[in-house]
Amino acid sequence: AEYMGIEDKIQEGVGSTVDSLKKAGIKVWVVTGDQIETSMNVAMKCNILSPIMKCTIIKFEENSESFQVQSELQSIHKNIISNNDQNAIIISGETVQLIKKYGIENILWDILTNVESVICARCTPIQKSYLVSLIKKHDKTSRILSIGDGSNDVPMILEADVGVSVTGNENSQASMISDYSIPQFKFLKRLLLVHGQLAYYRNANFVLYMFYKNIMFCFILYFYMYLNGFSGQCAIDPWNLIFFIDF
């Protein structure tokens, strides 16, 4: 008998990039359309899951009742709070759909915010977008970045505050609608921790400089009014004023 296997290799530098983002205080969630087993294997290779983590799989059938889903989620929440282990949640797309249908997202949010890692498997594009909106609804202070490489990631990228696409063979739509496009996932580290931080400093300095510039300009006019007796005489030559405003 002959057997053939196909391996979907992880890009170079993904694990170290995820480690750097987590050390910087950034929470990393995996939202994918793959099977639960595949998602867990990929997350293990990317250092999102570790062997010491206690993994809890939340998976319900499509015909599950509201009280059944709610009671099970409450039980999982109590177990996570009661233990001191590093916890990880693996949730299926069907479960996300049921939680959205029954309106019990508050329990899900309490669970997701008390674990180290979150993996959402078998999610449709609409469910991916819903998870992003869930974070935006319950955490007003956080900023969300979504990164994807295919057309099924488009709703998630559009819903996030910042959208990033990884260029590839199937990502023409993702590249067109994203804010930034990078050739490999490992470049996300430099995009966030270097360029993102520098952009913050530059914008902050620019705002402070604009305040300083306009305050100094207004004070000149204010004191000049006393010297010319409020005659309305122009204190600054028009051409000098134009260059001062522009530069």
Side-chain angles (χ1 to χ4, degrees), residues 6 29 31 48-49 66 72 83 111 148 153 191 197 201 214:
I6 300 176
W29 290 14
V31 184
I48 296 175
L49 292 181
S66 175
E72 182 67 23
N83 65 59
I111 294 174
D153 299 316
L191 177 65
Q197 188 180 34
Y201 290 144
N214 287 282

Side-chain angles (χ1 to χ4, degrees), residues 8 30-43 49 57 59 90-94 119-124 128:
D8 189 8
V30 177
V31 184
T32 177
D34 295 335
Q35 298 285 348
I36 290 179
E37 294 78 10
T38 305
S39 305
M40 293 179 66
N41 289 332
V42 171
L49 292 181
I57 299 177
K59 184 178 180 181
I90 299 93
I91 184 170
S92 64
E94 294 83 0
I119 299 174
C120 303
R122 298 300 298 166
C123 289
T124 63
K128 293 180 179 181

Side-chain angles (χ1 to χ4, degrees), residues 1-129:
E2 295 182 358
Y3 300 93
M4 181 180 66
I6 300 176
E7 181 183 3
D8 189 8
K9 292 186 177 181
I10 305 298
Q11 290 185 356
E12 180 185 357
V14 174
S16 59
T17 300
V18 172
D19 281 338
S20 298
L21 296 179
K22 292 171 72 174
K23 290 178 181 178
I26 300 174
K27 288 188 174 295
V28 181
W29 290 14
V30 177
V31 184
T32 177
D34 295 335
Q35 298 285 348
I36 290 179
E37 294 78 10
T38 305
S39 305
M40 293 179 66
N41 289 332
V42 171
M44 190 69 70
K45 292 180 180 180
C46 298
N47 297 332
I48 296 175
L49 292 181
S50 65
I52 63 173
M53 283 186 178
K54 182 180 179 181
C55 298
T56 303
I57 299 177
I58 307 176
K59 184 178 180 181
F60 293 98
E61 300 296 333
E62 294 182 358
N63 57 353
S64 299
E65 297 294 336
S66 175
F67 72 91
Q68 179 185 356
V69 177
Q70 187 170 356
S71 61
E72 182 67 23
L73 290 178
Q74 289 175 344
S75 176
I76 293 173
H77 183 226
K78 291 180 181 178
N79 291 334
I80 291 175
I81 295 177
S82 61
N83 65 59
N84 296 322
D85 300 327
Q86 293 186 13
N87 295 281
I89 288 294
I90 299 93
I91 184 170
S92 64
E94 294 83 0
T95 304
V96 173
Q97 187 64 32
L98 287 175
I99 292 172
K100 179 181 179 181
K101 176 182 176 181
Y102 295 139
I104 51 178
E105 58 186 29
N106 290 333
I107 305 175
L108 176 63
W109 178 252
D110 292 336
I111 294 174
L112 299 182
T113 52
N114 284 282
V115 296
E116 297 291 330
S117 300
V118 177
I119 299 174
C120 303
R122 298 300 298 166
C123 289
T124 63
I126 299 299
Q127 291 168 355
K128 293 180 179 181
S129 175

